[in-house]
């Protein structure tokens, strides 16, 4: 679409780089910003820049954080011996929202998916295995989505830590198979944390 | 949703100020930016800021512009005696895309809508009437959307310039009644510019 302003054109091009946002939506958003006071755009641009430039990933659990160690890992009241293994930062938020989990997390940053070119080395698996080998971990809860890739990832990790004397569990399959964790309602998700089952028996349903 | 980072929280809050973007979409967009190289966010934020801070509105037609007089008004090959009256910048883009109009535009910035608190004084009507009174205008093409508000606005302007010796026309109703101009296909829109009809006869269909 021909635009009479290169400034607008560039802004639309940048906005439409975002996933799920086409040229037309990008134009609508840009024109909206032009109608609003200039400080709305300044606040938006400032917040995006500050987030991208200053955000850190927790050195212990790889969760998103404003400091070196995230507030969950740094919280003395959280049980450091129970680790909930999740794919993604959004899963941490979803489980935190249930208020039913008092352990800590380990964010893998994805799941093993050869189709998408994601192998174990691209995920935060080594740091998890090392953490387990220190001996402070009593239980590992697998909370990955129940897809083939999720199961593959669970099993890959399980094989590396099964010689250690720890409990391994998987969240209860109260969540429909194939559903994404972040879209589950809080009650279902909370129960799936409370009713976790031993990892071995969780694999029997396959 | 509880987030472990205030930086992320603020970015999500700012993104979800945009129309049609909820908290969940905003979070998805923010996490996407975090996964991309830092310069993608810098380019996006920079383009938004530059657009909002430096963009101008053409002093002649109120179209969006990077300079005082937009490139359409400043273009010597465009017929300055034929003015196409539109609601919005997007309508200019849509008509320009047809490549069938060689006159200039006048962007009203909306249409008269007492329900939304928009009266004639909030629109760029005075500058249009003044332009017509200079005597250089031979034809005024009304290209507002065919809604009650569009018709009201057309008629409001028409009353103020009907004593002037100019042709008034309205784009052909090839575009379905009630449809927004910007969503029309280029062929239909192009024809509606070519087959415009005298304003008086265009009002007879109501």
């Amino acid at each position: 679409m021909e635009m009479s302003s290169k400034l607008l054109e560039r802004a639309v091009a940048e906005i439409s780089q975002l996933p799920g946002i086409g040229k037309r939506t990008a134009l609508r958003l840009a024109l909206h910003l032009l109608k609003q006071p200039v400080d709305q755009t300044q606040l938006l641009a400032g917040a995006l820049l500050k987030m991208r430039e200053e955000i850190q990933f927790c050195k212990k659990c790889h969760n998103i954080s404003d400091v070196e160690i995230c507030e969950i890992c740094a919280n003395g009241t959280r049980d450091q011996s129970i680790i909930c293994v999740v794919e993604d930062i959004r899963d941490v938020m979803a489980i935190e929202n249930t208020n039913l989990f008092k352990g800590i997390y380990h964010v893998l940053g994805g799941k093993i998916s050869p189709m998408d070119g994601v192998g174990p080395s691209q995920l935060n698996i080594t740091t998890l295995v090392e953490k387990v080998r220190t001996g402070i971990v009593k239980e590992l809860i697998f909370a990955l989505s129940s897809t083939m890739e999720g199961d593959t990832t669970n099993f890959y990790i399980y094989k590396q830590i099964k010689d250690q004397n720890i409990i391994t569990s998987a969240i209860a399959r109260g969540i429909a198979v194939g559903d994404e964790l972040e879209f589950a309602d809080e009650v279902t998700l909370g129960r799936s944390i409370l009713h976790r089952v031993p990892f071995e028996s969780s694999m029997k349903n396959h």
Side-chain angles (χ1 to χ4, degrees), chain A residues 22 35 50 56 59 81 95 97 100 103 109 126 140 143 151 187:
Chain A
K35 280 184 187 167
K50 210 171 150 61
Q56 301 185 48
K59 287 226 155 66
S81 70
I95 296 176
N97 265 359
L100 285 170
T126 319
L140 216 59
D151 291 339
V187 176

Side-chain angles (χ1 to χ4, degrees), chain A residues 76-129:
Chain A
T77 70
R78 306 287 296 229
D79 189 343
Q80 308 274 327
S81 70
I82 305 181
I83 296 180
C84 183
V85 182
V86 294
E87 278 168 50
D88 190 271
I89 294 147
R90 280 179 288 188
D91 302 330
V92 174
M93 291 179 203
I95 296 176
E96 282 299 284
N97 265 359
T98 70
N99 276 319
L100 285 170
F101 180 62
K102 298 300 170 202
I104 58 170
Y105 296 92
H106 189 91
V107 180
L108 294 175
K111 48 197 168 185
I112 298 169
S113 174
M115 295 275 283
D116 304 313
V118 181
S121 61
Q122 279 127 295
L123 304 175
N124 303 315
I125 292 179
T126 319
T127 49
L128 175 61
V129 173

Side-chain angles (χ1 to χ4, degrees), chain A residues 34-175:
Chain A
L34 285 174
K35 280 184 187 167
Q36 301 301 114
V38 70
D39 57 298
Q40 188 178 332
T41 306
Q42 288 164 339
L43 284 170
L44 171 64
L48 292 179
L49 270 181
K50 210 171 150 61
M51 173 193 75
R52 186 61 189 82
E53 289 173 351
E54 294 183 16
I55 225 161
Q56 301 185 48
F57 292 91
C58 172
K59 287 226 155 66
K60 289 181 81 172
C61 73
H62 310 284
N63 187 16
I64 224 162
S65 175
D66 294 347
V67 284
E68 270 207 354
I69 305 294
C70 78
E71 50 187 39
I72 298 172
C73 287
N75 183 342
T77 70
R78 306 287 296 229
D79 189 343
Q80 308 274 327
S81 70
I82 305 181
I83 296 180
C84 183
V85 182
V86 294
E87 278 168 50
D88 190 271
I89 294 147
R90 280 179 288 188
D91 302 330
V92 174
M93 291 179 203
I95 296 176
E96 282 299 284
N97 265 359
T98 70
N99 276 319
L100 285 170
F101 180 62
K102 298 300 170 202
I104 58 170
Y105 296 92
H106 189 91
V107 180
L108 294 175
K111 48 197 168 185
I112 298 169
S113 174
M115 295 275 283
D116 304 313
V118 181
S121 61
Q122 279 127 295
L123 304 175
N124 303 315
I125 292 179
T126 319
T127 49
L128 175 61
V129 173
E130 280 166 6
K131 219 188 275 176
V132 171
R133 293 212 170 122
T134 61
I136 57 160
V137 181
K138 287 186 192 142
E139 181 175 357
L140 216 59
I141 306 172
F142 290 104
L144 275 69
S145 57
S146 56
T147 58
M148 204 174 69
E149 290 84 5
D151 291 339
T152 306
T153 313
N154 286 341
F155 205 69
Y156 180 89
I157 297 168
Y158 177 70
K159 279 193 296 181
Q160 294 192 56
I161 51 95
K162 71 167 186 248
D163 57 321
Q164 303 291 312
N165 188 24
I166 65 164
I167 301 163
T168 47
S169 60
I171 54 167
R173 299 294 190 195
I175 296 162

